[in-house]
Structures are given as C-alpha cells and as structure tokens.
Amino acid sequence: MIARELILETVMRIPEGRVATYGQVARAAGLPGRARLVGKSLRGLGAESIVPWQRVLGAGGRISIPDAQTARLQRDLLQDEGVRFSGKRVLLAGQLWDEGLDD
DNA sequence: CTGATGACAGTAC
DNA sequence: AGTACTGCCATCA
C-alpha cells in the first residue's frame, strides 16, 4: 500500500468549501503522526492537479506553504469556493471537513 | 548508520 | 502574537 496514494485519495474526499489540516488528513488516511508526509505528498501538485490540495491547511487554519506565490494561489482558490478567512488564517469553525459524512 | 531537512503539531515562554 | 523547542517520521546526502 502506497501512503502517498492513501493521502491523495483522502484529500480528494474533502468537499468544496470545506478545509482540513495536515494532521487530520493523515489520521483520516489511516496514517496517524504522518502529517509531514501529507505535505510532502502535496508538494509538487499544481493548478493542473485534480487533487484539491488547496483545502489542506496547517494547524489552526494557517497556510503552511513556503512559496509565497503558491500560498497566494491557495488563498485565492479557497476564497473563490466560499471559504472564509480571518486575516491570514482560515476560520475552521463550521468549515472544517467532517471526516465522517461527505458534504 | 548518522545527521539534516521539511506544505506538521503541540507546548512553553 | 511571535519565537523557540521538542516530538514526529519519511527521505536523502
């Protein structure tokens, strides 16, 4: 079983307008403690990817992308699908993905 | 094998 | 609120 596949598959289950943290995705993928592996798996994905990588955030709703360009893209994409921000952070309340029920 | 690194997370100050 | 430190784990020189 390839961890990267599990992670990408999990990220694709996040509905539009919802967000999740790296740690949460790792847990949902059955890989508790591999939050960093999630980031590693998403690194390299771009605007062309079918994977909604923009819905994955750091703890507390912070954008954890080192590249400012990509970080800005993530913010724009999220705001575009209706995700609300509080300054530099995403308001996780009411927008955090519920692993149990999709949508 | 050892040490450094990183789209993380939690805690402490 | 911002910085620092620790725990974590896969990857790589």
Side-chain angles (χ1 to χ4, degrees):
Chain A
M1 188 62 76
I2 304 156
R4 186 164 171 282
E5 288 298 320
L6 288 169
I7 292 171
L8 296 183
E9 192 177 327
T10 301
V11 173
M12 287 192 276
R13 300 220 317 272
I14 305 174
E16 183 179 316
R18 294 285 193 82
V19 294
T21 67
Y22 293 94
Q24 183 186 1
V25 170
R27 272 183 281 114
L31 302 167
R34 277 74 162 178
R36 308 189 84 140
L37 185 58
V38 174
K40 198 177 199 328
S41 299
L42 296 184
R43 186 160 51 97
L45 298 182
E48 299 130 6
S49 176
I50 64 172
V51 181
W53 55 269
Q54 71 272 23
R55 296 173 194 157
V56 185
L57 306 162
R62 285 195 208 41
I63 288 182
S64 295
I65 300 179
D67 180 57
Q69 188 81 349
T70 311
R72 199 167 56 247
L73 173 62
Q74 174 172 35
R75 189 204 57 191
D76 291 342
L77 287 173
L78 288 177
Q79 290 189 325
D80 209 49
E81 33 179 273
V83 174
R84 302 175 44 219
F85 280 67
S86 174
K88 201 163 170 41
R89 298 192 306 99
V90 168
L91 292 173
L92 295 182
Q95 302 191 111
L96 193 58
W97 173 47
D98 189 329
E99 302 170 29
L101 51 185
D102 287 5
D103 191 5

